[in-house]
Short mmCIF file of all heavy atoms in Angstrom, two decimals:
data_model
loop_
_atom_site.label_atom_id
_atom_site.label_comp_id
_atom_site.label_asym_id
_atom_site.label_seq_id
_atom_site.Cartn_x
_atom_site.Cartn_y
_atom_site.Cartn_z
N LEU A 502 6.43 -18.40 -6.63
CA LEU A 502 6.51 -19.28 -7.80
C LEU A 502 5.19 -19.96 -8.15
O LEU A 502 5.11 -20.69 -9.13
CB LEU A 502 7.60 -20.33 -7.60
CG LEU A 502 9.02 -19.76 -7.58
CD1 LEU A 502 10.02 -20.81 -7.16
CD2 LEU A 502 9.37 -19.19 -8.94
N LEU A 503 4.16 -19.72 -7.36
CA LEU A 503 2.83 -20.25 -7.67
C LEU A 503 1.86 -19.16 -8.09
O LEU A 503 1.10 -19.33 -9.03
CB LEU A 503 2.24 -20.97 -6.46
CG LEU A 503 2.89 -22.28 -6.09
CD1 LEU A 503 2.31 -22.81 -4.78
CD2 LEU A 503 2.71 -23.30 -7.19
N HIS A 504 1.88 -18.05 -7.39
CA HIS A 504 0.84 -17.04 -7.59
C HIS A 504 1.34 -15.70 -8.11
O HIS A 504 0.56 -14.81 -8.36
CB HIS A 504 0.06 -16.84 -6.29
CG HIS A 504 -0.58 -18.09 -5.82
ND1 HIS A 504 -0.09 -18.83 -4.77
CD2 HIS A 504 -1.65 -18.77 -6.29
CE1 HIS A 504 -0.84 -19.90 -4.60
NE2 HIS A 504 -1.79 -19.90 -5.50
N ASP A 505 2.65 -15.54 -8.25
CA ASP A 505 3.22 -14.28 -8.70
C ASP A 505 3.28 -14.27 -10.22
O ASP A 505 4.29 -13.93 -10.82
CB ASP A 505 4.63 -14.11 -8.12
CG ASP A 505 5.18 -12.71 -8.33
OD1 ASP A 505 4.40 -11.81 -8.67
OD2 ASP A 505 6.39 -12.53 -8.16
N ALA A 506 2.21 -14.66 -10.81
CA ALA A 506 2.16 -14.76 -12.26
C ALA A 506 0.76 -14.36 -12.72
O ALA A 506 -0.20 -14.46 -11.96
CB ALA A 506 2.46 -16.20 -12.69
N ALA A 507 0.68 -13.92 -13.94
CA ALA A 507 -0.61 -13.51 -14.50
C ALA A 507 -1.47 -14.73 -14.79
O ALA A 507 -0.98 -15.73 -15.30
CB ALA A 507 -0.38 -12.72 -15.78
N GLU A 508 -2.74 -14.64 -14.45
CA GLU A 508 -3.66 -15.72 -14.77
C GLU A 508 -3.81 -15.85 -16.27
O GLU A 508 -3.86 -14.86 -16.99
CB GLU A 508 -5.05 -15.46 -14.16
CG GLU A 508 -5.11 -15.71 -12.69
CD GLU A 508 -6.55 -15.64 -12.16
OE1 GLU A 508 -7.51 -15.62 -12.96
OE2 GLU A 508 -6.68 -15.60 -10.93
N VAL A 509 -3.86 -17.08 -16.72
CA VAL A 509 -4.16 -17.38 -18.11
C VAL A 509 -5.58 -17.94 -18.08
O VAL A 509 -5.79 -19.08 -17.68
CB VAL A 509 -3.17 -18.43 -18.69
CG1 VAL A 509 -3.53 -18.75 -20.13
CG2 VAL A 509 -1.74 -17.92 -18.59
N PRO A 510 -6.56 -17.12 -18.43
CA PRO A 510 -7.94 -17.56 -18.28
C PRO A 510 -8.24 -18.79 -19.13
O PRO A 510 -8.11 -18.75 -20.34
CB PRO A 510 -8.77 -16.36 -18.73
CG PRO A 510 -7.84 -15.52 -19.52
CD PRO A 510 -6.46 -15.83 -19.08
N ASP A 511 -8.56 -19.87 -18.47
CA ASP A 511 -8.84 -21.13 -19.15
C ASP A 511 -9.96 -21.80 -18.38
O ASP A 511 -9.72 -22.53 -17.42
CB ASP A 511 -7.59 -22.00 -19.20
CG ASP A 511 -7.78 -23.27 -20.02
OD1 ASP A 511 -8.92 -23.51 -20.49
OD2 ASP A 511 -6.81 -24.01 -20.18
N THR A 512 -11.18 -21.54 -18.77
CA THR A 512 -12.32 -22.06 -18.03
C THR A 512 -12.43 -23.57 -18.11
O THR A 512 -13.07 -24.19 -17.27
CB THR A 512 -13.64 -21.44 -18.56
OG1 THR A 512 -13.73 -21.68 -19.96
CG2 THR A 512 -13.67 -19.95 -18.27
N ALA A 513 -11.77 -24.18 -19.08
CA ALA A 513 -11.83 -25.63 -19.21
C ALA A 513 -10.69 -26.32 -18.47
O ALA A 513 -10.59 -27.54 -18.49
CB ALA A 513 -11.77 -26.01 -20.69
N ALA A 514 -9.82 -25.55 -17.85
CA ALA A 514 -8.64 -26.14 -17.21
C ALA A 514 -9.04 -26.95 -15.99
O ALA A 514 -9.72 -26.47 -15.10
CB ALA A 514 -7.67 -25.04 -16.78
N PRO A 515 -8.60 -28.22 -15.98
CA PRO A 515 -8.84 -29.01 -14.77
C PRO A 515 -7.86 -28.53 -13.70
O PRO A 515 -6.85 -27.92 -13.99
CB PRO A 515 -8.51 -30.43 -15.22
CG PRO A 515 -7.53 -30.25 -16.34
CD PRO A 515 -7.90 -28.95 -17.00
#
Side-chain angles (χ1 to χ4, degrees):
L502 292 171
L503 290 174
H504 300 104
D505 191 15
E508 283 188 12
V509 179
D511 186 356
T512 56

